[in-house]
Each structure stands twice: as structure tokens, then as C-alpha cells.
Amino acid sequence: MRRIISTLCEIRKLQLTQTEAPAERLAEVENKFRWFDSQLSGIKATDTGSSLEEVMTSGDFTYAIGEFVQRLMLPAYTAKTFDFEQFVKPDTTPNFMEVTRYQRRAGLDDLEYVGEKGDVRPGSVVDATRRHYRVYRWEKQFDFSMEALVNDDLGYFSDMASEMGRAARRTLEKHVSNFLWNATTLARLVALGALYSTTGRLTTARISTARMAFNQRTDARGEPVAAALKYIVYHPGLVDTVATIQNSTLVPELATNAVNVVKGTFVGIEDPYCPGVAPNLPWYAMSDYRLNGITAFVLARRQGMPAPMILRKKS
């Protein structure tokens, strides 16, 4: 237990250091943890145990274990293998009830010339598309070994906490990946036509074709949409293909001196959970919702829950 308290002390001091807390505050925290440790280490076999009872109850012990695991879990959770946050828009909901959001389909009318003493005609607004979604709980129970608790095995707690963080992050990444590559999503893109879907291997020419398709898209009023290609989400088997396209001055697929016009125009994002079989491995071209307001995917979380939480089993 003393090793856990020592680690918690270092974690807390690091947090305060990152927030530029004064030296007095750091010293105060260290003194409090040192006092806690001295109360634990001063217990002898002949003692009545009253000193320990004043310092920590059974409830405090379980809280300390939970806090220790929580702090070690978060770094593993933030370690990303699928960096989907770049193209998935975040949202929050107040609770677990269904929420309604509206997606704009077009902008406002153009302005019109008005002659001297002429009347100004009212403009119109294209109806927005209504979307519904809600937040669900994703949980799993993990048990700690009684032997590890008795042995005060700090390495065991550290490894278990990291594994729990990686499990939470992996679940989230798989959830987003399933939305990308499921049959319903792909069928809807195909139904929208050539400006929204294509088939074939990832090549420089096809990325160029996708860019031209993005540039030709229009809204519900028929006005051009500023939907520039920003991201390429690809199967793990296309890592070298993407690297070659991004670093080649000339078109890598052609034995000519044609200039590679797509070099440096997109950001590659590998999806390790993307299904596919060679040679036609799948890939996605995505725009940046921050620049044009086009929201392709939304990931909602419950308010106040930006990361996984450790909960003790109810008894």
C-alpha cells in the first residue's frame, strides 16, 4: 500500500507542476503524503491498530486503489492506434435520453438588386435534416488478484490499469471503424452517385479523381460546397502505398515524368480495424468538418464523461 501512496504522490505533484502551481503548494502535497506514509510505516505487530484506523478506513483503501488505477489507466487510453478524432465531430448529451440535432442542407438565398424605392423580397431557408441519437453504456468487469493486493504488487496494478485503458480505447476505435465500413454506409454512398463513391485500388489518379469529385459537389440549392479533400483513411495493407504517394515528386504508378499533383494535399490515417482482402484494399476520402461544416460522422459522449471511469462493483 505504501508504494501505491508513493506513486499517487508523484502523480499529484506532476499534475500540479503542469499547471504551474507554486512551490509552496507542491511542498504541502508532499508533506501530506509523507505524513500518510509515516502513519502506515509506524505500525508494529504489538500496536493496537488505532493509528491506522485514524488514517485509513476500509472505504478509504478501496477509494485509493480505484484512484491509483484510474490515473494509470488514462495514459494508456489516450494512446491512439486509430486517430479518428481528426475527422469525427464530437458532441455531448446531458443524459442517456435521445437528443435531436439538425443538419443544414444549404445556405441562405443570394442577395437581389433592389431599385429605387423597391421592395425587398423575403428570403427562404432550406429545411434542415433532423438527426436523432443517444448515448449508451459500454462496460466490463475486471477483477484484481487478492495475492497482488497482499503482496503490494505495484507492477501488477500498473499493467492491469494500462490494459484496461487500452481495452477502452480499442472498443471506441472499433465502434467508429464499424460505422465507416459497414454495408449500410457504403450502400448510401454508392446511391449518391459518382461524386460520392468510386471503386478500385488506391492510386494517385484515383485520389485526384476523388479531389475533383469533392470540388464538384453542390448543396440543396445547387450552390458549390467547399468540400476539399483533407484525409485519406486506409487499410493497414496500404501503409506503403500511401507513403509512396505522399513522398513521390512524380506519379509513382507511371513510367513518365508526370508531376504528382496530390503530394502533400492530404493527411493519411490508418484504420487497423478496417476489413478487406488484397489486392483491392478499401480506403476513404474525407473532408474537414471544421472548415466547411460538412459533418459525416458524430461521436457523442455523456456530459462530464470525456474518458472511461473506474467504478467499484456494487455490493
Side-chain angles (χ1 to χ4, degrees):
M1 186 62 201
R2 293 182 60 202
R3 298 175 64 187
I4 294 177
I5 296 300
S6 175
T7 303
L8 285 174
C9 177
E10 295 302 320
I11 292 175
R12 184 54 181 159
K13 289 196 298 181
L14 178 60
Q15 289 179 331
L16 293 174
T17 302
Q18 292 174 344
T19 59
E20 300 182 356
E24 295 79 8
R25 175 62 174 154
L26 294 175
E28 179 185 1
V29 169
E30 186 170 3
N31 289 335
K32 288 181 178 179
F33 276 100
R34 185 182 298 116
W35 177 85
F36 199 174
D37 180 73
S38 66
Q39 297 300 305
L40 291 175
S41 61
I43 299 174
K44 302 183 178 63
T46 57
D47 286 343
T48 61
S50 58
S51 177
L52 177 61
E53 291 171 0
E54 293 173 0
V55 178
M56 182 188 300
T57 65
S58 59
D60 295 329
F61 178 78
T62 54
Y63 171 79
I65 291 293
E67 184 70 10
F68 176 74
V69 174
Q70 176 77 27
R71 294 180 185 276
L72 289 180
M73 177 184 69
L74 290 180
Y77 175 75
T78 56
K80 305 171 183 176
T81 56
F82 179 24
D83 193 12
F84 63 80
E85 284 86 354
Q86 297 189 66
F87 61 87
V88 175
K89 183 178 180 179
D91 192 9
T92 57
T93 66
N95 46 45
F96 293 105
M97 297 180 64
E98 186 179 84
V99 296
T100 301
R101 300 288 187 264
Y102 292 90
Q103 187 174 11
R104 294 282 300 274
R105 298 172 53 223
L108 300 178
D109 289 339
D110 292 341
L111 304 184
E112 296 178 343
Y113 166 76
V114 179
E116 185 176 354
K117 294 187 177 181
D119 293 330
V120 179
R121 296 198 308 168
S124 62
V125 177
V126 175
D127 289 341
T129 301
R130 186 165 55 183
R131 307 293 185 189
H132 301 282
Y133 48 82
R134 56 174 294 188
V135 171
Y136 294 90
R137 292 187 301 129
W138 294 68
E139 298 179 352
K140 182 72 72 172
Q141 176 181 320
F142 298 101
D143 299 321
F144 288 96
S145 166
M146 181 61 185
E147 289 79 2
L149 291 172
V150 174
N151 296 337
D152 197 15
D153 191 343
L154 191 60
Y156 171 83
F157 287 114
S158 178
D159 292 343
M160 278 293 294
S162 297
E163 287 295 332
M164 291 165 68
R166 282 190 286 269
R169 177 65 193 186
R170 184 173 62 249
T171 301
L172 184 61
E173 291 177 348
K174 285 183 176 180
H175 183 63
V176 174
S177 181
N178 288 337
F179 271 98
L180 285 174
W181 308 107
N182 70 83
T184 302
T185 301
L186 299 177
R188 288 181 176 178
L189 288 173
V190 172
L192 289 172
L195 296 184
Y196 291 86
S197 65
T198 184
T199 56
R201 302 180 187 181
L202 179 63
T203 63
T204 306
R206 287 199 173 93
I207 294 178
S208 180
T209 300
R211 288 177 61 197
M212 297 306 100
F214 272 65
N215 294 343
Q216 297 176 66
R217 292 180 182 178
T218 58
D219 61 18
R221 293 186 185 275
E223 300 293 341
V225 178
L229 190 156
K230 179 65 179 294
Y231 304 107
I232 296 291
V233 184
Y234 57 89
H235 187 281
L238 295 173
V239 172
D240 289 344
T241 301
V242 172
T244 300
I245 294 174
Q246 287 182 316
N247 293 283
S248 298
T249 302
L250 304 178
V251 177
E253 299 89 7
L254 301 177
T256 64
N257 291 328
V259 177
N260 180 10
V261 296
V262 304
K263 176 184 178 181
T265 62
F266 66 90
V267 177
I269 302 177
E270 179 184 348
D271 180 1
Y273 312 105
C274 171
V277 180
N280 293 321
L281 299 176
W283 56 281
Y284 253 111
M286 310 282 290
S287 63
D288 190 345
Y289 69 88
R290 304 171 190 84
L291 301 179
N292 50 42
I294 301 175
T295 305
F297 296 95
V298 176
L299 179 65
R301 301 175 186 267
R302 185 162 63 89
Q303 190 173 5
M305 298 289 290
M309 296 291 294
I310 296 291
L311 300 175
R312 284 184 293 155
K313 183 180 179 181
K314 298 179 180 64
S315 59

